Amino acid sequence: MNQTDPADVKQATGDRLTRAAGKQLAIYAAAAVALLVAMMFVLNVLASLTSSAAGMSRMAVDVENNTITSYLREEPPQMDSMRASDAVSAIVMYHVMEGLLRYDANGELVGGVAERWEQDGTRFTFWLRDDARWSNGAPVTAHDFEFAWKTVLDPATASQYAFILYPILNAEKANNGEVSVDEVGVEAIDDFTLEVNLETPIAYFDRMVGYVTYLPVNEEFYNQTNGRYGADADEMIYNGPFVMTSWVHGASMQLRKNSDYWGAERIRLDGINFAHMTSDSNTLLNLFQDNQIVIADLTAEMLDQAMLQRWSLSQFMEGTVFYTEFNHRPERLTSNWHLRKALSLVHDSSELVNRVIKLPGYLPGKSLFPYWVEGMDGPFRDEYPVPEQPRNIELAREHLAMALDELGLEELPPLVFLSSETPVARIQAEYYQEVFKRYLDIDLLIDAQIFRQRLEKMTAGDFDMVGAGWGPDYNDPLTFADLFASWNLSNRGRYSNPALDAQVRIAQSSLDRQERFDAFGEIQRILTEDVVIMPDYERGYVYVTDSQVRGIVRHVFASEVDFTHAWIEPGE
């Protein structure tokens, strides 16, 4: 899923490059402080008004009402599970919706709406519980899944995540308009039996079913919303542990325990108040210190303070890889391989992470496949090593000269780097601006946008380079491997290579493990040699939680922050 950048960074020290980045950050930080003060005032007023209106406290822990207060990094672009493609929306959806399977507190897939399931070759059968209810009292049925999945695949929906349903028989053909969605291999046999026929007998389909695109949608309610499904709290109905009672766009979101949820007995909180929408670490630390939120991620400079306060520290690697994606559309200069190669030869992810970003838990990016992905008998990257590419300025300039010759240019016009507005994204873009100018005399124009607008520009191809991130949707290397397949709409740079597509097809359909992993290795080789992306970093967090709240879970798959297992210990 698409990810955003979090947090704050402090000024780096060392060589001139990092001092320049530090100065830029200092200027940015000074402006940001003034802006944040104003924003916090407005947001706090809004949060106060909305919290009071909903009877929720603004304190981190409200023991009397058994509620907690937390934050979201961004405003969720939408809550329509059939169209959503980002991690922030997914955090909320995993709290208010439930699919056939869900993740337990140990990160294991267990039954959700489905009580049991079995695979027989290419056929999966799911038997649904008869006590699952929508928040309007209607039963959750197999028809709700059939409707949702076929709507995702309808070309008119233009769902960017339709590809994740492609293992289903005729799903890709239907999405391409080659057959009717009625011919897709999913059918409600009766209200509580869902039968799914696959293209090939893959063994990882049940892992994919845990992702939000596979959530059910009540057709009758969906049709009543007249195209606004998921746009506001009252434009949805819910079947998960919580229901959304308020959504003040850009400010706050409130959830109440869903008394109609079949597993309500295991849900121990009565409410969650997402009272803040910000990724600024200083703001979040202040809110945590003031007992206004129950969890906060820390920067390296905050660790000493955390130790003095004797806060309990935890660490979490979220499994996401961040990278700079090139625009491969023919009309873009970055479609030229020599230009991409020149830029990659002056890029140094270790310098970016260790001297510029300097956040605890971050690792230099090496590949689209993160370090934790398993191979046949050990770590994937041990079995399929990524070739080292040290910075080589002389060779980079040679490739730039060849690029100019092929492009028929005497000098390169400025390139556009599309970025989000978070501090880390901003300093990352400024780092590239400095590096490309210093070593290649290339000007970089930074186009910083809020989350929603950045996604829109990415989809429209309005960039030369874009800072992007991808988190795993399910537990199989394919969740990364098919990202740059030509048919994948999340491939925003529209990279297209039949050789890579062929390897993705093998990885999708082969029942031979060795053949599958060899295909993943080939995909990694092609992405590296063709300079499809420049890996930047893998993100991790050191974070603190309120000592009164237990059971907060952070998942690599599913919701990054999961409060559905949390409870309050009043005596702490």
Side-chain angles (χ1 to χ4, degrees), residues 284-304:
L284 294 173
L285 181 66
N286 290 335
L287 290 170
F288 184 82
Q289 265 187 310
D290 293 342
N291 294 317
Q292 294 190 49
I293 56 175
V294 296
I295 185 171
D297 299 324
L298 304 179
T299 66
E301 290 73 14
M302 296 172 180
L303 295 179
D304 288 343

Side-chain angles (χ1 to χ4, degrees), residues 369 374-377 380 383-385 477 481 499-500 502-508 510-526:
F369 297 86
E374 289 295 319
M376 285 286 291
D377 301 305
F380 171 76
E383 297 176 353
Y384 300 90
L500 184 137
Q503 296 300 324
V504 173
R505 293 297 190 194
I506 293 172
Q508 286 178 325
S510 176
L511 303 180
D512 183 324
R513 287 191 72 225
Q514 185 64 61
E515 185 179 46
R516 284 194 84 219
F517 279 98
D518 286 347
F520 293 138
E522 274 298 288
I523 291 166
Q524 179 178 252
R525 182 191 64 76
I526 293 170

